[in-house]
Amino acid sequence: MTDATGELQARPNIRFRQVGRPLTRIDAPGKVTGRTPYAGDYVMPGMLHMRVVRADVASARLVRLDVSRARALEGVACVLTAEDLPDRTASTDIPGQTGQKRLDTDQQILVRERVRYFGEPLALIAAETRDVADHAMELVEAELESIPGVYDPLEAMKPGAPVVTEPDNIVAERRIRKGDIEAGFAEADVVVENTWRTPFQEHAFLEPEVGLAWMDENEVVNIRVSTQVIEHFRPIADAIGVPHNKVRIRGALVGGGFGGKEDLTVEVYLALLAKRTGRPVRLEYTREDSFVGHGKRHPFILTYRTGVTSDGRITALDVRMVADSGAYVFLSPYVLLYALVAAPGPYRVDNLNVFARAVATNNMFTSAFRGFGALQACAAYEQQMDEVAKVLGMDRMEFRRRNFLRTGEPMSTGFVPPSAIWTDQCAERAWAALGEATPCEGPIRVGRGIACYQQSYGRLTFLHDTSEAWVGVEMDGTVVVRSGVTDIGAGQISALGQIAVEVLGVTLDNVVVYNSDSAVTPLAGTTTATRALYMTGNAVKQAAEALRARLVERAAKQFGVEPDAVDMGDNAVFVVDNPDKSLSMVDLVRICGAEGIHRSELSMFRAPFTDVLDPETGQGQAHPDYAYGAHAVEVSVDTDTGEVEVLKSVAAHDVGQCINPAAVEGQIQGGAQNGQGYALSEEMLYDEGRLTTPSFSEYLMPTAMDMPKVECIILESRSGVGPYGAKGIGEPAMTPVAPAIANAVADAIGVRVFEMPITPERVVKALKRQDKPDGTRTRA
């Protein structure tokens, strides 16, 4: 629906029976009562306990690895090194559903000759008890000869730098060229340039990586594991040298993922030891293991040069991005592409040039993390918007209003998003909700900030993404949904149940969802990229609608009416204009069963299929659609100590259509916490690649005591490409939080801190450098 200006408006309110209600999630009772088993709760008789021996330097040559004493220790069942393994590697690319060739990004399973990062695995130990395995680790003798490493991506690109990834450490390059950048800058009255730095970030999920593996009677390797991707059975099989049908992944409910369980973590190690010993094997990472056992968020260096007219119109934008991929490629090419596409944010930029590179170093490898590159871009472009507005002497909200991308306009890649772009509504609502400013006195200064965003949902369209789901009705009228989707705590499986029962006219307590088993549930793809609701939700809706059509057709015959006169709701089927003509769902299903009418449906949902972006211009379609919103905050800053406190936090997001408002609010509140830590306190410190903050004692996340109440403003344009017009919220909930806080801190103290996290030390440093004797202002 559009108004006179052509702006896409919210579709009329639709009468839903189940969708849009804050129903109790189907996974909630078990979690609340403690009955829900997580991957770490599974044990088997006679199982072995595993440990991973790791390198204690970041760049070295493996001269000697002696495990003889460990093997001889009583209670040790097996010790594996690279010498015991075929010359195979482990995939570091996301598995696809279509059999497309993966990127050549594989990683050595165990160090064979060269250590590339601190904590890289050298050996695997399986023993009768955890204590014996720990003792065996101490008996492993590793002689490592340090070799020059490189720990700064800018240094890694210089001639003569130590080579981590052949031939020149540059693992990916991406670019966008749109319009005439030189003409755009010539038209500008003012040009503003700044460089921003974003940090490593640890996923810090409550549940560390853990799994249990065993061989069954059919010589199939079974792995019960905490993962975001059950399709990993394929690369696991490739890594251990068995057919794909000889590996089965059984996912459990995940105690937090955020992208950190998107890659292979413990699975290959478990499969190797279970296959070698023939016994069940359990591996649970310690927190210190977890800190070096999975990829981190990519640190970025982002230089933004913005040309604007005196009345606040952006004429040109030139962006340079450098991402630290760490020692292995993993998902860096994809993360870089997401950052590239997101570079201008939700703003109209006709003359655009973006050049992005991901560079290998001997730091910890980096990979997927909530926001996936677009978050780092937002951290830069939203702070840049405030800085440009300051130079112009213009209100920062007004500057944004004059440049917002509107519905129906092309974005950075020339693609026109198919849904509504409601950035302005979200920004206005969030800003207004801050209310009256909090008074301050003494050394305390109060400031406010806002950040808007553009965030994709769904995987890259040239990956040809698909998702399958099965929906059936039992003879008593209850509903079963089968899907390979993993639930990482956001209520993915409950949303699928809510969609199915909405279509079939039953209540949520009448549905069971079986999920996350690569052998028996239809493969749904990864629970990543804010894609689960979009992809698998649509697959469930398609399957349920096909099933409903058959049921309604039979009911219409029973009632003597046309099928479009029949509705389903409240566990019954009835004629819309004559509710006295009705059947219970149970009676209808029994009729269908007696007559051999099929009572289930398997459906595949296909995302849009496109070619890759033009390699020279970056033009084309990268994602199915985009979400838009804003986050506003108020902070206080103690100018004596540099401490920052978030006083108010307001999130406004267009989610298209809420499936479950309570679940959406949970995602928004969690995103606010995640983003606040990224902005202010979460810092991974490395010394020559060695992690010096390896636990939660040093790596400081905000607790409930540090968080204000997060006000959630949920808008529903019902224009998204997800079921019922839904958009994604998992990643968008976090994306604008950190730059909103950064803008509020700058507003409070009058000077910008150009590097995150904005620690007390950096605030104090900025204040000390704020005014030079000549009156000029410098950056911290």
Side-chain angles (χ1 to χ4, degrees), residues 467-473 479-483 496-497 499-505 511 522-524 533-552 568 585 598-606 723-724:
S467 183
E468 295 180 78
W470 183 96
V471 179
V473 182
V479 173
V480 175
V481 176
R482 292 187 173 93
S483 167
L496 300 184
I499 291 166
V501 299
E502 176 65 43
V503 174
L504 294 173
V511 67
L523 296 181
L533 177 62
Y534 161 54
M535 293 296 299
T536 309
N538 271 329
V540 166
K541 186 169 181 285
Q542 282 182 178
E545 286 174 342
L547 175 56
R548 175 191 171 107
R550 289 195 290 273
L551 296 175
V552 164
M568 305 176 77
M585 179 64 107
H598 202 42
R599 294 171 290 101
S600 66
E601 183 75 17
L602 174 66
S603 180
M604 174 183 282
F605 178 76
R606 297 172 176 83
Y724 302 105

Side-chain angles (χ1 to χ4, degrees), residues 252-268:
L253 286 175
V254 177
F258 315 111
K261 294 170 183 172
E262 180 173 333
D263 300 311
L264 288 167
T265 57
V266 298
E267 295 95 327
V268 171

Side-chain angles (χ1 to χ4, degrees), residues 432-718:
L434 288 178
E436 294 293 324
T438 301
C440 59
E441 59 182 22
I444 304 300
R445 297 288 180 268
V446 171
R448 292 182 163 191
I450 191 164
C452 307
Y453 70 88
Q454 173 182 276
Q455 179 83 48
S456 62
Y457 61 101
R459 294 176 72 188
L460 294 161
T461 49
F462 62 76
L463 294 177
H464 295 188
D465 200 11
T466 63
S467 183
E468 295 180 78
W470 183 96
V471 179
V473 182
E474 297 299 329
M475 295 303 295
D476 62 354
T478 57
V479 173
V480 175
V481 176
R482 292 187 173 93
S483 167
V485 71
T486 55
D487 192 314
I488 60 175
Q492 282 87 358
I493 60 173
S494 190
L496 300 184
Q498 209 161 339
I499 291 166
V501 299
E502 176 65 43
V503 174
L504 294 173
V506 300
T507 52
L508 192 59
D509 57 348
N510 280 322
V511 67
V512 169
V513 182
Y514 296 102
N515 71 299
S516 305
D517 188 327
S518 67
V520 299
T521 55
L523 296 181
T526 65
T527 302
T528 66
T530 314
R531 70 175 288 281
L533 177 62
Y534 161 54
M535 293 296 299
T536 309
N538 271 329
V540 166
K541 186 169 181 285
Q542 282 182 178
E545 286 174 342
L547 175 56
R548 175 191 171 107
R550 289 195 290 273
L551 296 175
V552 164
E553 183 178 13
R554 181 60 186 85
K557 178 181 177 181
Q558 187 81 4
F559 298 142
V561 298
E562 293 299 314
D564 58 7
V566 176
D567 197 3
M568 305 176 77
D570 302 319
N571 300 307
V573 185
F574 52 88
V575 177
V576 174
D577 295 331
N578 187 3
D580 290 337
K581 284 190 173 182
S582 66
L583 281 172
S584 70
M585 179 64 107
V586 174
D587 290 339
L588 175 61
V589 172
R590 287 175 177 169
I591 292 171
C592 292
E595 296 180 1
I597 296 172
H598 202 42
R599 294 171 290 101
S600 66
E601 183 75 17
L602 174 66
S603 180
M604 174 183 282
F605 178 76
R606 297 172 176 83
F609 290 1
T610 68
D611 293 328
V612 298
L613 298 180
D614 185 286
E616 294 301 317
T617 66
Q619 297 300 286
Q621 181 179 356
H623 301 99
D625 193 24
Y626 296 85
Y628 299 86
H631 202 97
V633 298
E634 183 182 79
V635 304
S636 67
V637 183
D638 188 324
T639 55
D640 287 343
T641 66
E643 291 179 284
V644 179
E645 180 182 358
V646 179
L647 304 175
K648 299 177 183 178
S649 188
V650 182
H653 302 272
D654 171 25
V655 302
Q657 168 64 53
C658 268
I659 302 301
N660 187 320
V664 169
E665 286 196 10
Q667 284 291 285
I668 293 172
Q669 290 162 353
Q673 186 271 349
N674 214 176
Q676 183 172 319
Y678 185 60
L680 297 177
S681 61
E682 295 183 31
E683 188 167 28
M684 304 194 75
L685 299 177
Y686 291 88
D687 180 12
E688 294 290 294
R690 183 185 182 91
L691 181 64
T692 60
T693 53
S695 73
F696 290 159
S697 297
E698 304 90 1
Y699 185 80
L700 304 178
M701 298 175 294
T703 69
M705 299 294 289
D706 303 306
M707 291 293 299
K709 182 178 187 292
V710 179
E711 181 176 349
C712 302
I713 300 172
I714 300 172
L715 283 71
E716 296 180 290
S717 66
R718 300 192 178 93

Side-chain angles (χ1 to χ4, degrees), residues 111-138:
V111 171
R112 191 170 293 274
E113 296 176 353
R114 182 181 173 186
V115 173
R116 287 178 169 82
Y117 68 91
F118 174 75
E120 190 162 13
L122 302 173
L124 306 175
I125 297 173
E128 299 294 339
T129 69
R130 183 67 174 267
D131 288 342
V132 172
D134 288 342
H135 187 191
M137 288 180 67
E138 299 171 357

